[in-house]
Amino acid sequence: MSAPTRYRAPAWRGLNTAEPVYTRVDVQLEADVMHALGTRGELQRMANIGDDSSAFLRLDAADARPLFLKVVSQQRGSALEDAEMLARWLQDAAMPVVASERTCRLADGRQVWVYPFHAGRPPNAQLPDLTMIGSALGKLHGALQQHTLTGQWRQQTDARIQRLMNVREAVARGALRAGPDPLAFQKIASDRSIALHPDMFSELGPRTPLHGDLNRFNMLISDDGCAFLDFEDVPHSMFPAMLDLATVIERVVLVSPDAGAQTQHIQALLNAYRAEKPDVDLERGFQALPDIQRSIALRSLCILAESDSPGLHAEEWSKFFGLISLAKGTIARITTSTGTGIS
């Protein structure tokens, strides 16, 4: 069974996007990075991304195109290796992904992961963006199904979910008090209408490898379409395809202040996806959206209970409490008052 992980702050805080805030890089870090890469140029830090354990940088080299750099601990770097290997495999399969070009090590043991600087932006709740995402995600799912490690990924998914099921049960019976509002979390964990088990939502289709973390910061929109990044969650994300689509609907459409006609935007996403993956039962998946959203949020809360039991990172806890409320409110109203409109 896989072991619980330490708390790792998300690269971006909250649910809404923001432009990077650039600041000067520490003189020693700048010297170390330039030496490791064997180049010269202007190095800037994205100050509103990451935490104390990681640095996200932009390098405008004197003799090359701009680069995006992740400077991470040795332990974090080891965790990235499999994800970046998968990203390069997808890139070789002509999938729309952002993959690292190389990695190197600083004198203090930290790793520098080097990526082309992608000029794309996070998606907005606009019809063209949702159409791009749906098409690209259908292609991505199709490619991941062909990977040789799908059997191993299923086992890892089962082990992880079993561990989180144990967390849920401990919270539900009061043996584990976690988060800034333990009683509110206990009430959610005790709600047996929220599914959390390896075969959840099997009625929506077979289990398939998913991206697993489709927040707005892991999708980049450009004139060429939508590109995906950050594939760390793929090895423990074997579920019906609708779970990835539900995350996009939640994070891009339903929490966006500019969502407008929400149903129309959801239909654009699902129609574009269906053009690539006609075998997925999207009509049934649309009706199951509230249940899927609550399940995803409970899973996230159980992960937080493992890694941040005292509830020190209240903003993250609040985010998932809010998403459960969203599932009971806005999402439930949409799915009961309208049809899918999927052509």
Side-chain angles (χ1 to χ4, degrees):
M1 183 177 295
S2 55
T5 58
R6 296 178 181 176
Y7 178 78
R8 177 168 62 88
W12 290 91
R13 303 292 190 271
L15 295 169
N16 295 317
T17 57
E19 291 294 325
V21 176
Y22 289 100
T23 61
R24 290 297 303 270
V25 176
D26 174 80
V27 173
Q28 187 60 56
L29 177 60
E30 181 174 27
D32 291 346
V33 169
M34 294 301 190
H35 177 74
L37 295 179
T39 189
R40 300 176 62 186
E42 181 183 3
L43 196 64
Q44 301 177 80
R45 181 168 186 162
M46 299 178 184
N48 56 334
I49 310 178
D51 58 13
D52 294 339
S53 66
S54 59
F56 295 82
L57 314 174
R58 172 172 174 151
L59 172 62
D60 290 285
D63 56 352
R65 69 197 187 288
L67 298 174
F68 173 71
L69 311 178
K70 290 182 183 179
V71 182
V72 299
S73 67
Q74 185 173 352
Q75 179 184 18
R76 178 87 180 97
S78 297
L80 279 173
E81 289 177 3
D82 288 343
E84 291 304 326
M85 186 180 302
L86 175 57
R88 288 190 287 271
W89 179 86
L90 288 165
Q91 189 176 63
D92 290 343
M95 289 297 104
V97 303
V98 179
S100 64
E101 297 180 339
R102 59 189 173 113
T103 185
C104 59
R105 194 178 300 276
L106 302 182
D108 62 7
R110 285 183 294 175
Q111 289 188 14
V112 181
W113 289 84
V114 181
Y115 304 79
F117 193 93
H118 196 290
R121 57 169 174 78
N124 296 316
Q126 300 172 351
L127 292 177
D129 287 12
L130 272 300
T131 300
M132 289 181 185
I133 294 171
S135 178
L137 187 57
K139 292 182 174 71
L140 181 70
H141 284 173
L144 287 172
Q145 286 178 321
Q146 306 305 313
H147 201 283
T148 58
L149 294 181
T150 54
Q152 179 179 316
W153 292 345
R154 185 179 181 117
Q155 292 176 355
Q156 290 177 228
T157 301
D158 290 354
R160 185 176 191 248
I161 292 297
Q162 182 60 58
R163 194 185 76 229
L164 297 178
M165 289 169 62
N166 294 339
V167 172
R168 176 195 188 160
E169 293 306 319
V171 172
R173 68 175 185 268
L176 173 62
R177 292 175 58 85
D181 190 345
L183 291 179
F185 184 23
Q186 183 178 15
K187 183 178 180 181
I188 293 170
S190 301
D191 185 346
R192 298 302 169 179
S193 69
I194 305 178
L196 184 63
H197 54 83
D199 291 315
M200 56 190 179
F201 304 110
S202 60
E203 69 277 9
L204 302 181
R207 293 171 63 177
T208 189
L210 308 181
H211 179 282
D213 189 20
L214 288 176
N215 61 70
R216 292 177 77 179
F217 314 108
N218 286 337
M219 298 175 277
L220 291 174
I221 301 294
S222 67
D223 291 342
D224 296 327
C226 175
F228 301 103
L229 58 153
D230 190 357
F231 296 92
E232 289 183 71
D233 284 357
V234 171
H236 48 249
S237 297
M238 285 279 292
F239 298 106
M242 194 65 202
L243 271 72
D244 256 359
L245 288 160
T247 305
V248 175
I249 291 168
E250 176 184 83
R251 301 300 181 88
V252 178
V253 179
L254 298 175
V255 303
S256 175
D258 61 343
Q262 292 168 328
T263 304
Q264 185 181 6
H265 291 82
I266 295 171
Q267 291 168 351
L269 170 75
L270 298 181
N271 278 323
Y273 183 89
R274 166 163 280 183
E276 301 294 337
K277 294 282 291 175
D279 56 318
V280 178
D281 188 352
L282 298 179
E283 291 89 348
R284 195 168 185 179
F286 177 83
Q287 297 302 324
L289 272 177
D291 293 334
I292 296 172
Q293 303 290 3
R294 292 195 302 150
S295 175
I296 293 172
L298 174 59
R299 184 179 62 186
S300 298
L301 287 170
C302 289
I303 293 170
L304 278 175
E306 287 187 311
S307 58
D308 182 32
S309 182
L312 301 178
H313 301 84
E315 183 181 10
E316 277 296 287
W317 286 89
S318 177
K319 177 172 74 177
F320 294 111
F321 283 136
L323 292 175
I324 285 182
S325 296
L326 181 71
K328 292 180 178 179
T330 302
I331 300 174
R333 286 195 298 273
I334 290 174
T335 56
T336 56
S337 63
T338 65
T340 62
I342 303 170
S343 59

